[in-house]
Amino acid sequence: MFRVLQRDNHPGNLDKSSPNVGYVMLMFYHLYDGKSRKYFEDELVERFGSLVKIPLLKPDRSPLPASLISVLEEGLNLYNLHTKRHGRLESNKGSYVQEWAKWEKKLRDTLSANAEYLNSIQVPFEFAVQQVSEQLRKIAKGDYTIPSTEKRKLVTVVFAAVDLPVAEIQGLLNKLSGMNSKAEAFLEDKPIDNFLRKAHVTLAHKKSHGVSAVASYGLYLHRQVPVELNALLFTDKMAALQAQLGSIDDEKIVSKNEWPHVTIWTGEGVPPKEANTLPQLLSEGKATVIEINPPLTISGTVEFY
């Protein structure tokens, strides 16, 4: 923020002449909300194969002055209020226009008052150039060791899924058979027990969605998530329960599959992934749906397979 407010004629208009510099910088800051430094660095190494770090702050620097911490906390609180009410609406619109104007002025005044401190904690520019040059030389010579990342441990992982208790799903199917004649007629001659040794809702598959998509669920590994089962879809070749995933720590778990479901049976020679076509077959009148009312909510666990 201190550096941005010293810029002139920035091509993106993010400089000292911009009235909402602080708000824009907070927006950038929140792009990484919930992501650790390790996650971010792993992502870069995974994509580019190497990572060059430009030193910016002296490691032995003194802590941020209280006035700087205070103005940043005020900005973060105001940003949260603003986005909860207005989403991504600019700060010069909405209910908090006056509060933003006051905070932007206070931010500039506080940064200016602490200019000596902010200049003192930065490494000299020449040192940064030297460090970057050395890192680039090592990479060019092949002396660079690729850091181990969480994702590299995922080479053997094929997909991420929410693991579900088989007994509860079997109980639901038995109950559905007793309540609905169509369900009973369909399920009575199917070897569901033999097929349903494990039950899961696929979140992402390496072949379909890529390693990064699978790895993104690592944050929730072994955590419990509620899963609502609200319909049974079937043809003479396959059957699946429609699933709606809940949240972990107020974060909605979203499957990369267009249709989250639990495959409960496929006929001989039919791969389980064919169950993904059931909604399309239903729209063509080639599949049957039975609503589960009220839906059953069971608890599952995010796992890698």
Side-chain angles (χ1 to χ4, degrees):
M1 287 175 165
F2 180 65
R3 286 183 165 192
V4 165
L5 284 167
Q6 294 177 65
R7 298 198 298 208
D8 286 305
N9 303 316
H10 181 256
N13 298 322
L14 191 63
D15 52 39
K16 63 185 178 186
S17 65
S18 168
N20 63 341
V21 161
Y23 167 75
V24 174
M25 297 291 278
L26 287 173
M27 194 162 62
F28 282 132
Y29 172 79
H30 279 81
L31 290 174
Y32 309 105
D33 192 25
K35 301 288 187 290
S36 67
R37 181 191 297 267
K38 178 161 176 35
Y39 176 92
F40 188 52
E41 291 185 359
D42 283 359
E43 187 79 16
L44 291 171
V45 170
E46 202 64 33
R47 286 168 188 261
F48 300 107
S50 59
L51 182 61
V52 175
K53 297 183 183 181
I54 305 175
L56 170 63
L57 302 177
K58 293 176 180 175
D60 58 347
R61 63 189 180 275
S62 52
L64 277 177
S67 58
L68 274 176
I69 292 173
S70 174
V71 78
L72 292 172
E73 285 177 345
E74 283 178 35
L76 289 167
N77 290 335
L78 183 55
Y79 183 88
N80 288 332
L81 286 171
H82 178 88
T83 51
K84 273 181 184 173
R85 179 170 290 187
H86 301 298
R88 299 194 67 175
L89 187 72
E90 291 176 9
S91 61
N92 58 1
K93 297 170 185 170
S95 315
Y96 300 101
V97 174
Q98 290 183 341
E99 288 86 347
W100 277 119
K102 285 179 189 172
W103 179 77
E104 292 278 359
K105 182 179 184 310
K106 186 175 181 181
L107 174 69
R108 290 169 192 246
D109 292 346
T110 308
L111 289 170
S112 178
N114 286 280
E116 187 178 343
Y117 165 80
L118 291 166
N119 283 319
S120 73
I121 63 172
Q122 298 178 54
V123 299
F125 180 68
E126 297 73 21
F127 175 76
V129 171
Q130 177 198 348
Q131 291 289 304
V132 169
S133 300
E134 282 180 17
Q135 291 174 71
L136 289 172
R137 268 196 294 273
K138 281 186 177 179
I139 292 169
K141 286 180 181 177
D143 294 341
Y144 180 80
T145 304
I146 298 174
S148 171
T149 72
E150 287 300 318
K151 288 188 193 173
R152 291 189 184 277
K153 296 172 191 172
L154 294 173
V155 174
T156 56
V157 173
V158 178
F159 66 96
V162 178
D163 194 32
L164 297 171
V166 172
E168 290 194 47
I169 290 176
Q170 286 172 330
L172 169 65
L173 295 173
N174 291 337
K175 188 176 177 183
L176 201 58
S177 290
M179 294 169 59
N180 187 290
S181 56
K182 280 187 183 177
E184 183 182 21
F186 173 75
L187 293 168
E188 65 181 356
D189 62 344
K190 303 294 184 300
I192 303 288
D193 289 353
N194 291 338
F195 184 89
L196 202 59
R197 299 293 171 87
K198 287 185 177 180
H200 66 262
V201 179
T202 300
L203 295 171
H205 197 287
K206 189 164 72 171
K207 281 189 178 177
S208 308
H209 310 107
V211 174
S212 289
V214 175
S216 68
Y217 294 98
L219 191 63
Y220 308 110
L221 197 60
H222 311 315
R223 299 286 303 277
Q224 290 203 323
V225 59
V227 179
E228 181 185 278
L229 304 171
N230 52 35
L232 171 67
L233 278 72
F234 61 87
T235 67
D236 59 348
K237 294 180 180 176
M238 56 193 159
L241 292 164
Q242 181 167 278
Q244 187 166 328
L245 299 167
S247 301
I248 297 175
D249 298 335
D250 297 327
E251 189 75 31
K252 175 80 172 165
I253 304 301
V254 179
S255 171
K256 297 291 189 288
N257 264 355
E258 282 185 31
W259 184 57
H261 64 277
V262 184
T263 304
I264 61 165
W265 171 79
T266 59
E268 195 172 338
V270 180
K273 69 175 183 179
E274 283 299 305
N276 283 300
T277 63
L278 278 166
Q280 178 64 33
L281 293 171
L282 181 64
S283 69
E284 295 169 2
K286 297 175 183 175
T288 303
V289 62
I290 297 171
E291 302 290 336
I292 300 171
N293 195 8
L296 174 71
T297 300
I298 59 179
S299 186
T301 312
V302 178
E303 302 292 350
F304 286 149
Y305 292 91

